[in-house]
């Protein structure tokens, strides 16, 4: 991925753990549930950031912003979404804060729940996949799959499977 171009398009640097995740796995989905946003069709980080900003701006005209976004200049940027639910995983980016210090917010998408997780995206993903994160969501991943059975499918593999 062209990090300089992606960061220029977003108007911000990106966390090192996210870059490591993308460099290691590329574009795709973890356990048929968590899509990593990068630069691929529906998973386009820049396009999803723009779309989510517009959707949330409309929502916040009649619903309160989650804690942390009341601060002037704070913003959220999506880094992943949950397959088939409308839920997104975001970074909470505060003014003057290093991207490596951004924390994860989970929004259920079809309701008002926002969960705050005081960790970066890689730590959050590992915690979800191992069942160690305290969350109202994702528990099914650990209950259904054993930690050694987690899978990652690239976007290309998913597209090939749907074309057959």
């Amino acid at each position: 991925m062209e990090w300089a171009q992606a960061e220029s398009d977003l108007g911000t640097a990106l966390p090192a753990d996210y870059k490591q995740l993308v460099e290691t796995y590329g574009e795709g989905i973890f356990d048929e549930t968590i899509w990593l946003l990068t630069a691929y069709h529906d998973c386009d980080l820049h396009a999803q950031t723009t779309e989510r900003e517009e959707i949330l701006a409309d929502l916040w005209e009649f619903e309160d912003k989650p804690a942390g976004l009341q601060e002037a200049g704070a913003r959220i940027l999506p880094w992943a979404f949950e397959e088939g639910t409308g839920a997104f995983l975001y970074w909470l980016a505060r003014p003057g804060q290093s991207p490596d210090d951004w924390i994860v917010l989970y929004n259920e998408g079809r309701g008002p729940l926002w969960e705050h997780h005081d960790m970066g995206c890689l730590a959050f993903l590992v915690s979800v996949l191992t069942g160690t994160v305290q969350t109202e969501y994702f528990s099914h991943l650990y209950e259904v799959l054993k930690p050694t059975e987690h899978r990652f499918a690239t976007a290309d593999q998913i597209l090939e499977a749907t074309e057959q």
Side-chain angles (χ1 to χ4, degrees):
M1 183 159 181
E2 274 296 318
W3 295 116
Q5 184 62 50
E7 291 172 333
S8 175
D9 290 346
L10 292 170
T12 186
L14 291 166
D17 65 339
Y18 169 75
K19 291 178 184 179
Q20 178 186 5
L21 192 57
V22 171
E23 294 292 334
T24 301
Y25 290 97
E27 302 162 325
I29 186 169
F30 292 90
D31 288 348
E32 300 177 359
T33 303
I34 301 173
W35 277 99
L36 184 61
L37 296 176
T38 56
Y40 199 85
H41 305 294
D42 291 337
C43 297
D44 185 301
L45 180 64
H46 181 257
Q48 285 294 333
T49 297
T50 301
E51 181 179 303
R52 301 309 308 160
E53 285 173 345
E54 292 170 4
I55 289 169
L56 293 172
D58 290 343
L59 177 70
W60 291 330
E61 288 183 18
F62 60 89
E63 193 175 289
D64 290 336
K65 288 182 177 181
L69 282 174
Q70 305 295 339
E71 181 182 352
R75 70 187 275 214
I76 56 174
L77 296 108
W79 61 271
F81 67 90
E82 186 178 4
E83 174 71 19
T85 67
F88 273 80
L89 291 162
Y90 296 93
W91 291 294
L92 173 59
R94 293 189 163 115
Q97 187 179 45
S98 165
D100 292 334
D101 295 328
W102 293 350
I103 64 168
V104 171
L105 297 180
Y106 172 89
N107 176 248
E108 65 182 333
R110 295 188 176 113
L113 177 72
W114 286 85
E115 286 185 347
H116 288 70
H117 298 276
D118 292 328
M119 61 185 84
C121 65
L122 181 56
F124 180 79
L125 183 60
V126 168
S127 295
V128 165
L129 296 177
T130 59
T132 60
V133 70
Q134 296 295 316
T135 179
E136 293 291 319
Y137 299 89
F138 300 116
S139 61
H140 66 282
L141 290 177
Y142 191 72
E143 292 166 3
V144 173
L145 302 171
K146 294 183 179 15
T148 58
E149 296 176 353
H150 295 291
R151 292 179 176 79
F152 179 81
T154 66
D156 286 339
Q157 290 170 326
I158 298 297
L159 285 176
E160 287 174 14
T162 59
E163 290 175 358
Q164 294 178 357

